[in-house]
Amino acid sequence: AAGVIQSPRHLIKEKRETATLKCYPIPRHDTVYWYQQGPGQDPQFLISFYEKMQSDKGSIPDRFSAQQFSDYHSELNMSSLELGDSALYFCASSQTRNFYEQYFGPGTRLTVT
Amino acid sequence: EDQVTQSPEALRLQEGESSSLNCSYTVSGLRGLFWYRQDPGKGPEFLFTLYSAGEEKEKERLKATLTKKESFLHITAPKPEDSATYLCAVQVIGSNYKLTFGKGTLLTVNP
């Protein structure tokens, strides 16, 4: 079965640089979620989109922005990167008629040096 | 504030030694409780969703149950390949479907 695709899988950036993470949800899934997982931590919700509109916002820094495009893929844009932004970033997708069960992608490991 | 607490933080079992992981929650209104398995450096793998007290679901050696205050993940006759971190998460009514996770239980099964 098709899964959530994330790219790139690994990304190394320097402080103050910008990063863009991409997420391709499972076909026919209408909701995308972004989570951040620091080392040894549980995933923390950042932001979600339903049918290309932002539906909820969590602890996402103002330096981060995200959007969902007409083909349902989503991008997380991160500017003025800080050392503390180093983490695993997961995208998950769900389908309204399937009770919003969220399926996660493999993640993007961002390292800020 | 919605809270999810998992115990124990770590559990070491011998192959074949059955046990249970606990997830207790305090939320304003539960829409669903989710169990995931996560291997190091990988994305959480969906296991179960439970929606109402008394509900039970099974998958291979795993069985999840739900009460009004907690959920249990029972592991019967575990194998070394069951070693992973097991995450519990809640979806709260009115939260637009985001998941709030517990800290997880690191399970190690020795051969």
Side-chain angles (χ1 to χ4, degrees):
Chain A
V4 176
I5 297 172
Q6 291 188 247
S7 67
R9 296 293 310 280
H10 302 273
L11 192 57
I12 300 174
K13 293 285 186 178
E14 294 186 356
K15 282 194 306 182
R16 293 180 289 277
E17 285 192 318
T18 297
T20 297
L21 280 54
K22 296 185 179 182
C23 167
Y24 298 84
I26 294 172
R28 292 180 293 283
H29 278 200
D30 51 24
T31 308
V32 167
Y33 312 79
W34 286 96
Y35 292 85
Q36 177 193 57
Q37 187 174 32
Q41 302 296 314
D42 54 289
Q44 295 290 316
F45 172 74
L46 293 177
I47 195 167
S48 62
F49 293 88
Y50 169 67
E51 286 290 345
K52 292 156 280 184
M53 299 287 289
Q54 181 181 308
S55 56
D56 200 0
K57 199 171 181 180
S59 49
I60 183 170
D62 292 340
R63 301 177 287 108
F64 293 8
S65 65
Q67 58 182 321
Q68 186 177 31
F69 295 86
S70 57
D71 64 352
Y72 290 92
H73 95 272
S74 178
E75 295 184 3
L76 177 66
N77 297 294
M78 311 160 68
S79 63
S80 302
L81 287 170
E82 302 174 356
L83 295 178
D85 296 329
S86 296
L88 272 168
Y89 291 84
F90 293 109
C91 171
S93 71
S94 69
Q95 189 175 45
T96 306
R97 67 185 184 91
N98 198 27
F99 302 104
Y100 303 98
E101 292 177 350
Q102 294 183 28
Y103 295 86
F104 283 74
T108 294
R109 181 175 294 280
L110 172 66
T111 303
V112 182
T113 62
Chain B
E1 184 180 337
D2 302 323
Q3 285 194 330
V4 181
T5 304
Q6 291 189 245
S7 62
E9 291 184 10
L11 180 63
R12 191 177 293 270
L13 301 173
Q14 288 299 122
E15 185 172 1
E17 179 186 1
S18 302
S19 188
S20 295
L21 313 182
N22 177 263
C23 172
S24 63
Y25 61 90
T26 305
V27 299
S28 51
L30 182 71
R31 174 182 284 114
L33 186 140
F34 295 69
W35 282 99
Y36 288 88
R37 169 196 169 124
Q38 186 175 30
D39 293 300
K42 300 198 174 177
E45 175 190 344
F46 174 80
L47 294 174
F48 304 107
T49 310
L50 302 166
Y51 295 100
S52 56
E55 190 175 359
E56 298 182 352
K57 288 190 177 176
E58 287 187 67
K59 179 181 178 181
E60 296 179 353
R61 294 178 292 281
L62 301 176
K63 178 179 176 180
T65 62
L66 181 66
T67 72
K68 289 186 178 180
K69 293 183 178 181
E70 59 191 348
S71 176
F72 291 93
L73 184 65
H74 307 277
I75 303 177
T76 302
K79 298 181 177 182
E81 53 262 42
D82 294 323
S83 298
T85 294
Y86 289 84
L87 293 167
C88 168
V90 296
Q91 205 174 60
V92 178
I93 294 171
S95 72
N96 276 327
Y97 312 109
K98 69 180 180 186
L99 294 177
T100 300
F101 284 86
K103 299 295 184 188
T105 293
L106 175 61
L107 174 66
T108 304
V109 182
N110 296 315

